[in-house]
Amino acid sequence: MSPVADPIGSYLHTPSPRPAPIDQEPGARLGKALSLLEDLDRAARHFQPLLRTVERMTGLPPAQASALLAFAEGGRPPEGATPEETALAALAAKGLVTSGRTPPGVEPEGTAWRLTDAGGVTLEQVQGLRIRALDTLASTLSDRQMEQIHDALRGIGDALASLQPAEGADEPRST
């Protein structure tokens, strides 16, 4: 609750739109966020050679490799996206996924997407490269460091899962 002055000077309590109390020192929290961003950017820069290796070995740029992994996990494009708006179209153009009409009465009706044989082979390559790269990384870290990474990633995943998207976030910005 945040106090709001009424016309005669006393305070009324109104619900605050903020999910948490306001920091007494907002600069400290901003500093932590900027430090985290710097660490994430550094890790991403060092991750680039691995992404280039995956692209060189599979022919898939990072966005398409991610789309292939996500598609294989869920078996369909992201909800609300049409194939033309996603990397799924690029995967289809490369012959890694294909579409066909679902029979009437089968839910959801419409276009059914599936991995092709080539898509399955490419998916196994991408997964294998990821495992080999992470195994190499893990071999350079102690058990305690690996545990800390696991804990941090679980915490980040939980925090991201708890965020509520802004109203209309899945709608296109323009038509």
Side-chain angles (χ1 to χ4, degrees), residues 141-154:
L141 301 171
S142 70
D143 289 344
R144 179 67 187 134
Q145 288 172 313
M146 285 299 294
E147 187 178 311
Q148 289 172 329
I149 290 171
H150 277 279
D151 290 346
L153 290 174
R154 282 187 199 109

Side-chain angles (χ1 to χ4, degrees), residues 105-139:
V106 175
E107 291 296 326
E109 290 186 28
T111 303
W113 289 89
R114 62 177 177 79
L115 282 175
T116 62
D117 290 342
V121 169
T122 303
L123 176 64
E124 287 180 18
Q125 280 184 306
V126 170
Q127 290 170 327
L129 288 168
R130 291 173 65 211
I131 291 167
R132 285 181 27 209
L134 289 175
D135 180 54
T136 301
L137 174 64
S139 71

Side-chain angles (χ1 to χ4, degrees), residues 17-103:
R18 294 182 181 271
I22 298 174
D23 289 340
Q24 293 299 316
E25 298 180 44
R29 194 162 103 187
L30 179 60
K32 288 179 184 178
L34 291 174
S35 177
L36 178 61
L37 182 59
E38 184 178 311
D39 290 341
L40 287 170
D41 286 346
R42 180 176 176 265
R45 281 191 305 276
H46 290 293
F47 198 63
Q48 291 304 312
L50 172 64
L51 295 176
R52 285 192 296 275
T53 299
V54 170
E55 183 172 1
R56 190 177 68 251
M57 295 182 80
T58 65
L60 295 179
Q64 291 176 18
S66 293
L68 183 65
L69 290 165
F71 174 77
E73 184 179 304
R76 60 184 183 277
E79 194 170 313
T82 62
E84 296 75 29
E85 298 172 330
T86 67
L88 193 59
L91 296 176
K94 290 182 177 186
L96 303 178
V97 297
T98 188
S99 66
R101 300 300 293 176
T102 58

